[in-house]
Amino acid sequence: MAIDVIMPPLSQTLSTMVLVRWLKEVGETVAKGEPLFVVESDKATLDVESPADGVLGQIIACPGTEVAVRSTIGVIVTA
């Protein structure tokens, strides 16, 4: 099963954020609640946690990209 990794709405006023970097590579195991990627808003840089246990199966948004809030930026594959 595939779980979408979504750019979270960290503020009601922001419609986009910058994806700073992924903390895991495609093919690496991730655990729910573990930091998965880093985003930058207009005020802070924040670690965002994995939404599920599994393997990072796909990265859709590249570091340095401005990404719309609630858009899919990656995929986690679960057993």
Side-chain angles (χ1 to χ4, degrees), residues 23-37:
L23 301 174
K24 296 286 185 171
E25 300 282 334
V26 170
E28 286 189 84
T29 302
V30 297
K32 184 175 182 173
E34 171 184 29
L36 181 59
F37 60 95

Side-chain angles (χ1 to χ4, degrees), residues 7 17-23 36-41 44-48 61-67 73:
M7 179 61 79
M17 286 189 282
V18 175
L19 176 64
V20 175
R21 75 177 180 273
W22 286 94
L23 301 174
L36 181 59
F37 60 95
V38 179
V39 298
E40 181 178 79
S41 70
T45 301
L46 305 163
D47 290 351
V48 179
C62 297
T65 304
E66 189 169 341
V67 180
I73 61 170

Side-chain angles (χ1 to χ4, degrees), residues 41-59:
S41 70
D42 57 345
K43 297 181 182 179
T45 301
L46 305 163
D47 290 351
V48 179
E49 298 176 351
S50 172
D53 293 329
V55 173
L56 185 58
Q58 182 181 16
I59 290 176

Side-chain angles (χ1 to χ4, degrees), residues 6-17 48 68-71:
I6 305 294
M7 179 61 79
L10 299 176
S11 166
Q12 292 181 339
T13 60
L14 294 175
S15 60
T16 64
M17 286 189 282
V48 179
V69 170
R70 294 186 179 90
S71 64

